[in-house]
Amino acid sequence: MKRIDVPAVDHIGVRVRDLERAMKFYALLGFEVEHKAANDAVAVVRNAHGVELNLVYNANAADGGKNILMDVGEKYAGYTHVALRVSSIKSAIEALRENGVRITQGPVSFGRDGHVSVFVRDPDLNVVELRGREEDLSSVGGVIEYLPQN
């Protein structure tokens, strides 16, 4: 079988209701609006490392306060979260707390690799995992090993 070579992720699309509200969250992660599409409800946002998100600001308000892929008993197919590598998970946790962003899960470790993640939600309940890899994590504190719940 001939395969397609994929050397990197180009961008990630995230549907949101309100661009200004969403940017208050994504700016905390270092993203800035690069440009808005002239013919669509899409804002290209990028951070200093070149990571690109496309914020698609046309979500309906009728979600009942739940993320259908993560918060309901039935499991639907679809993308559940984006995982962003952070330079320091310890600094990320401190910044989240200082800015009043609730950590919905974590800090957690995923097995033998010693990498630590925290999970947060943007204002539209989209799940964002922040993962630290290359730092001394002994001072993070409160890290538990991840155990699947379902």
Side-chain angles (χ1 to χ4, degrees):
M1 173 196 313
K2 184 172 179 151
R3 298 187 185 265
I4 298 171
D5 182 42
V6 180
V9 173
D10 185 76
H11 69 273
I12 299 162
V14 181
R15 180 164 279 123
V16 300
R17 284 189 202 101
D18 179 274
L19 179 60
E20 185 176 324
R21 181 178 80 155
M23 278 310 301
K24 288 178 183 172
F25 173 82
Y26 288 99
L28 174 62
L29 302 178
F31 290 92
E32 296 180 1
V33 175
E34 186 173 282
H35 75 275
K36 293 182 190 177
N39 62 347
D40 203 358
V42 176
V44 175
V45 302
R46 192 180 305 273
N47 73 6
H49 300 284
V51 176
E52 180 182 320
L53 302 177
N54 289 182
L55 297 182
V56 182
Y57 51 98
N58 64 359
N60 295 328
D63 65 4
K66 293 185 186 261
N67 174 320
I68 194 152
L69 293 175
M70 298 297 289
D71 300 333
V72 298
E74 285 188 54
K75 299 302 175 203
Y76 295 91
Y79 296 101
T80 60
H81 70 285
V82 59
L84 302 173
R85 177 89 46 89
V86 296
S87 297
S88 168
I89 194 67
K90 183 176 179 180
S91 294
I93 291 168
E94 290 169 358
L96 292 168
R97 289 181 177 149
E98 286 175 19
N99 287 281
V101 176
R102 187 170 76 90
I103 296 172
T104 57
Q105 185 180 11
V108 295
S109 172
F110 291 92
R112 299 180 305 178
D113 63 11
H115 305 169
V116 173
S117 294
V118 294
F119 293 81
V120 297
R121 301 280 183 110
D122 77 3
D124 294 293
L125 303 178
N126 294 304
V127 178
V128 178
E129 175 183 355
L130 302 175
R131 176 169 278 199
R133 287 187 183 253
E134 298 170 7
E135 68 181 301
D136 176 10
L137 300 172
S138 62
S139 64
V140 171
V143 178
I144 61 170
E145 187 168 336
Y146 172 77
L147 297 172
Q149 297 179 9
N150 52 21

